[in-house]
Amino acid sequence: SLSCRLYCEEEKDPKRRSCQTVLAEALDIVVRSFAPILPHLAEEVFQHLPYKKDSEGVFRTGWINASSAWKKPGIEEAIEGACAMRDSFLGSISGKNALEYEVVIVIEPGLLFELMEALQAEETSSVSQLNEIMMASQTTLLSELPKETPTDANIIKGTFLINLEGGDIREESSYKVIALPIAKAKCPRCRRYTSPSSSTPCPRCLKVIAGKGST
């Protein structure tokens, strides 16, 4: 989640820095958008941005100019697909705490699976972009249903239509989402259920704490 990236990752970790970059870009666009109708408020916000190196006002630095680097093919579809799976997951646990679960996503090999791999390279992760979107403590991405799946597991089935290159690439893919109560303890630092003991931080947090101690 956003708060976990900002407050739990190491200060200079790329995950934390990329989150700050997105927030800064979003604020810049919002301020420039309402500047013509709320000039004084826009100018005040602009002058108090801590990362601005120049003193020029919002009206002297040009209109919105988003970098083309933000346009990455497939990213929008990947996020939308992951959000569709998250909706299936959250709907299956009926308002319970999502962090008390691990999610297993099963997608047959194909374009949708490749898009999800862009969000999670590892088979199982508690810190991937895919897991952050799912809002669970841990997410596992598989191409087939695991043999050890409990017989009483609630398997949610869904489909997602991928639309790339202005409609030149269209593919409807099916997926399965399984929510399983997680067996690990809650980390006292990041509050995710990824720790071997409730009195011990999880491996990710231990690494961050060790890094702070050595600086």
Side-chain angles (χ1 to χ4, degrees):
S1 65
L2 181 67
S3 59
C4 193
R5 274 197 178 199
L6 288 174
Y7 302 118
C8 296
E9 296 291 355
E10 193 173 356
E11 183 178 0
K12 295 184 179 180
D13 188 282
K15 293 189 183 74
R16 183 175 184 273
R17 297 292 290 153
S18 64
C19 183
Q20 290 179 311
T21 299
V22 171
L23 290 174
E25 185 75 10
L27 178 60
D28 185 84
I29 291 174
V30 169
V31 172
R32 293 181 192 278
S33 297
F34 67 65
I37 55 175
L38 294 171
H40 298 293
L41 176 60
E43 186 63 32
E44 185 174 1
V45 171
F46 202 79
Q47 292 299 331
H48 283 82
L49 295 178
Y51 47 82
K52 286 292 181 184
K53 296 182 180 180
D54 55 66
S55 58
E56 292 185 349
V58 64
F59 294 102
R60 294 187 178 183
T61 53
W63 186 236
I64 298 170
N65 185 25
S67 171
S68 59
W70 294 87
K71 296 283 289 184
K72 292 187 177 181
I75 288 296
E76 183 178 353
E77 286 72 20
I79 298 298
E80 289 180 352
C83 288
M85 296 173 199
R86 179 191 62 194
D87 292 344
S88 297
F89 160 57
L90 295 178
S92 70
I93 61 175
S94 303
K96 297 178 182 177
N97 184 2
L99 290 175
E100 295 179 0
Y101 291 84
E102 61 176 310
V103 182
V104 178
I105 300 174
V106 182
I107 308 170
E108 293 184 358
L111 187 53
L112 182 58
F113 188 87
E114 293 174 5
L115 290 175
M116 292 306 105
E117 278 190 315
L119 301 178
Q120 178 169 302
E122 310 88 350
E123 182 176 283
T124 299
S125 178
S126 61
V127 296
S128 68
Q129 295 179 69
L130 179 59
N131 187 67
E132 289 181 353
I133 293 171
M134 298 305 292
M135 300 169 60
S137 279
Q138 180 175 288
T139 297
T140 298
L141 179 62
L142 301 172
S143 59
E144 59 182 17
L145 202 65
K147 296 179 180 179
E148 63 273 16
T149 302
T151 55
D152 60 345
N154 185 16
I155 302 176
I156 308 299
K157 298 180 180 180
T159 59
F160 181 74
L161 178 62
I162 300 170
N163 192 340
L164 291 171
E165 303 294 339
D168 291 340
I169 301 176
R170 290 173 63 87
E171 181 178 302
E172 187 171 55
S173 301
S174 60
Y175 62 83
K176 298 182 181 72
V177 174
I178 310 169
L180 301 172
I182 198 159
K184 297 180 181 179
K186 180 192 284 187
C187 171
R189 183 174 180 270
C190 69
R191 319 306 263 177
R192 287 182 175 176
Y193 290 77
T194 52
S195 178
S197 168
S198 59
S199 59
T200 305
C202 66
R204 187 273 302 273
C205 286
L206 283 174
K207 183 179 178 181
V208 173
I209 293 170
K212 288 182 177 180
S214 62
T215 55

